[in-house]
Amino acid sequence: MNSLVHRSLVVQLQASGTDRFPVLAHLGYDADDPFAVTAAFSHDGRVLARWKLDREMLQEGLIRPVGMGDVRFHPVSTGPWEELCMEFYGDAHPDGGRHHAAVYVWAPAVSGFLKETYQVVAPGEEAVDVDHFLAEVIAGG
Protein backbone atom coordinates (compact mmCIF):
# COMPACT_ATOMS: atom_id res chain seq x y z
CA MET A 1 0.00 0.00 0.00
CA ASN A 2 1.17 3.51 -0.80
CA SER A 3 2.31 5.40 2.31
CA LEU A 4 1.66 8.80 0.71
CA VAL A 5 -1.64 10.64 0.20
CA HIS A 6 -1.89 13.86 -1.78
CA ARG A 7 -4.81 16.07 -2.74
CA SER A 8 -4.92 19.46 -4.46
CA LEU A 9 -7.92 21.67 -3.79
CA VAL A 10 -9.07 25.13 -4.73
CA VAL A 11 -9.66 27.01 -1.48
CA GLN A 12 -10.54 30.58 -0.55
CA LEU A 13 -7.89 32.73 1.15
CA GLN A 14 -8.86 35.79 3.14
CA ALA A 15 -6.02 37.92 4.48
CA SER A 16 -6.53 40.68 7.02
CA GLY A 17 -9.22 43.07 5.76
CA THR A 18 -9.53 41.61 2.23
CA ASP A 19 -12.18 39.68 0.35
CA ARG A 20 -11.72 35.97 -0.27
CA PHE A 21 -9.79 34.92 -3.36
CA PRO A 22 -9.03 31.46 -4.75
CA VAL A 23 -5.68 29.75 -4.22
CA LEU A 24 -4.51 26.16 -4.50
CA ALA A 25 -4.00 24.07 -1.40
CA HIS A 26 -1.82 20.99 -1.69
CA LEU A 27 -2.49 18.61 1.19
CA GLY A 28 0.03 15.85 1.79
CA TYR A 29 0.30 12.95 4.19
CA ASP A 30 3.27 10.63 4.66
CA ALA A 31 3.13 7.57 6.93
CA ASP A 32 6.72 8.36 7.96
CA ASP A 33 5.31 11.44 9.77
CA PRO A 34 2.00 9.93 10.87
CA PHE A 35 0.70 12.76 13.07
CA ALA A 36 1.11 15.52 10.47
CA VAL A 37 -0.55 16.81 7.34
CA THR A 38 1.45 19.23 5.22
CA ALA A 39 -0.51 22.07 3.64
CA ALA A 40 1.12 24.22 0.96
CA PHE A 41 -0.85 27.16 -0.39
CA SER A 42 0.07 28.52 -3.81
CA HIS A 43 -1.06 31.10 -6.34
CA ASP A 44 0.27 31.75 -9.85
CA GLY A 45 2.93 29.08 -9.36
CA ARG A 46 4.31 30.62 -6.14
CA VAL A 47 4.09 28.99 -2.75
CA LEU A 48 2.51 31.54 -0.41
CA ALA A 49 2.83 29.50 2.78
CA ARG A 50 3.55 25.98 3.96
CA TRP A 51 2.33 24.61 7.29
CA LYS A 52 2.57 21.28 9.12
CA LEU A 53 -0.83 20.60 10.66
CA ASP A 54 -1.83 18.11 13.33
CA ARG A 55 -3.96 15.42 11.64
CA GLU A 56 -6.18 14.82 14.68
CA MET A 57 -6.72 18.56 15.16
CA LEU A 58 -7.69 18.87 11.50
CA GLN A 59 -10.31 16.14 11.97
CA GLU A 60 -11.68 17.76 15.14
CA GLY A 61 -11.85 21.14 13.39
CA LEU A 62 -14.48 19.74 11.05
CA ILE A 63 -16.77 19.27 14.07
CA ARG A 64 -15.87 21.98 16.61
CA PRO A 65 -13.46 24.89 17.14
CA VAL A 66 -9.94 23.74 18.04
CA GLY A 67 -6.59 25.44 18.57
CA MET A 68 -5.35 28.24 20.75
CA GLY A 69 -2.03 29.26 19.21
CA ASP A 70 -0.90 30.14 15.71
CA VAL A 71 -3.22 27.61 14.03
CA ARG A 72 -6.96 27.34 14.71
CA PHE A 73 -9.74 25.44 12.94
CA HIS A 74 -13.52 25.68 13.11
CA PRO A 75 -16.48 24.55 11.03
CA VAL A 76 -18.51 27.10 9.08
CA SER A 77 -22.00 26.32 7.84
CA THR A 78 -23.74 28.53 5.32
CA GLY A 79 -26.87 26.57 4.51
CA PRO A 80 -26.02 23.51 2.46
CA TRP A 81 -22.35 24.56 2.11
CA GLU A 82 -20.10 23.16 4.85
CA GLU A 83 -16.61 24.62 5.17
CA LEU A 84 -13.59 24.27 7.39
CA CYS A 85 -12.02 27.58 8.33
CA MET A 86 -8.29 27.31 8.98
CA GLU A 87 -6.91 30.41 10.68
CA PHE A 88 -3.19 31.16 10.72
CA TYR A 89 -1.58 33.81 12.90
CA GLY A 90 1.86 35.24 12.22
CA ASP A 91 4.22 37.84 13.58
CA ALA A 92 3.06 40.82 15.59
CA HIS A 93 2.40 44.23 14.04
CA PRO A 94 3.94 47.34 15.65
CA ASP A 95 0.44 48.23 16.91
CA GLY A 96 0.24 44.95 18.88
CA GLY A 97 -2.01 43.08 16.42
CA ARG A 98 -0.86 40.02 14.51
CA HIS A 99 -0.74 39.03 10.87
CA HIS A 100 -3.77 36.84 10.21
CA ALA A 101 -5.06 34.81 7.30
CA ALA A 102 -8.05 32.51 7.03
CA VAL A 103 -8.41 29.71 4.51
CA TYR A 104 -11.87 28.33 3.75
CA VAL A 105 -12.06 24.83 2.30
CA TRP A 106 -15.00 22.61 1.42
CA ALA A 107 -15.35 20.34 4.48
CA PRO A 108 -16.26 17.14 2.57
CA ALA A 109 -13.00 17.45 0.60
CA VAL A 110 -10.96 17.60 3.83
CA SER A 111 -12.97 14.72 5.29
CA GLY A 112 -12.33 12.62 2.17
CA PHE A 113 -8.61 13.38 2.31
CA LEU A 114 -8.46 12.40 5.98
CA LYS A 115 -10.29 9.13 5.26
CA GLU A 116 -7.57 8.29 2.75
CA THR A 117 -4.88 9.00 5.38
CA TYR A 118 -6.67 6.70 7.84
CA GLN A 119 -6.41 3.88 5.29
CA VAL A 120 -2.63 4.36 5.41
CA VAL A 121 -2.32 4.79 9.20
CA ALA A 122 -5.44 4.36 11.33
CA PRO A 123 -6.07 6.83 14.17
CA GLY A 124 -4.41 5.56 17.34
CA GLU A 125 -1.94 3.43 15.40
CA GLU A 126 0.54 6.23 14.72
CA ALA A 127 4.08 5.42 15.82
CA VAL A 128 7.34 7.30 15.81
CA ASP A 129 10.76 5.65 15.59
CA VAL A 130 12.32 7.47 18.55
CA ASP A 131 15.81 6.04 17.92
CA HIS A 132 15.76 7.30 14.32
CA PHE A 133 14.42 10.69 15.44
CA LEU A 134 17.15 11.10 18.06
CA ALA A 135 19.83 10.06 15.56
CA GLU A 136 18.60 12.78 13.16
CA VAL A 137 18.58 15.39 15.94
CA ILE A 138 22.10 14.48 17.08
CA ALA A 139 23.42 14.39 13.49
CA GLY A 140 21.89 17.82 12.85
CA GLY A 141 24.00 19.43 15.51
Side-chain angles (χ1 to χ4, degrees), residues 64-108:
R64 64 179 182 83
V66 294
M68 295 174 50
D70 294 342
V71 178
R72 303 171 192 181
F73 304 139
H74 63 89
V76 177
S77 180
T78 54
W81 191 256
E82 300 291 326
E83 294 178 306
L84 171 66
C85 177
M86 301 187 285
E87 295 185 273
F88 301 97
Y89 292 86
D91 296 332
H93 293 183
D95 67 4
R98 292 178 70 188
H99 291 281
H100 172 259
V103 174
Y104 296 86
V105 58
W106 191 46

Side-chain angles (χ1 to χ4, degrees), residues 16-101:
S16 301
T18 66
D19 290 332
R20 292 184 185 190
F21 67 93
V23 298
L24 282 176
H26 307 279
L27 302 179
Y29 180 78
D30 186 342
D32 289 340
D33 191 3
F35 294 100
V37 169
T38 301
F41 303 99
S42 64
H43 182 68
D44 286 341
R46 287 184 334 148
V47 174
L48 303 172
R50 184 180 322 264
W51 289 80
K52 281 251 184 174
L53 308 173
D54 180 279
R55 183 172 72 152
E56 182 178 350
M57 187 174 147
L58 194 56
Q59 177 66 48
E60 288 181 34
L62 291 166
I63 302 163
R64 64 179 182 83
V66 294
M68 295 174 50
D70 294 342
V71 178
R72 303 171 192 181
F73 304 139
H74 63 89
V76 177
S77 180
T78 54
W81 191 256
E82 300 291 326
E83 294 178 306
L84 171 66
C85 177
M86 301 187 285
E87 295 185 273
F88 301 97
Y89 292 86
D91 296 332
H93 293 183
D95 67 4
R98 292 178 70 188
H99 291 281
H100 172 259

Side-chain angles (χ1 to χ4, degrees), residues 95-141:
D95 67 4
R98 292 178 70 188
H99 291 281
H100 172 259
V103 174
Y104 296 86
V105 58
W106 191 46
V110 174
S111 181
F113 170 79
L114 290 171
K115 285 178 185 173
E116 287 183 55
T117 73
Y118 298 149
Q119 292 172 355
V120 175
V121 178
E125 294 186 14
E126 300 93 345
V128 176
D129 183 349
V130 175
D131 292 333
H132 178 73
F133 172 74
L134 289 175
E136 283 184 352
V137 170
I138 291 169

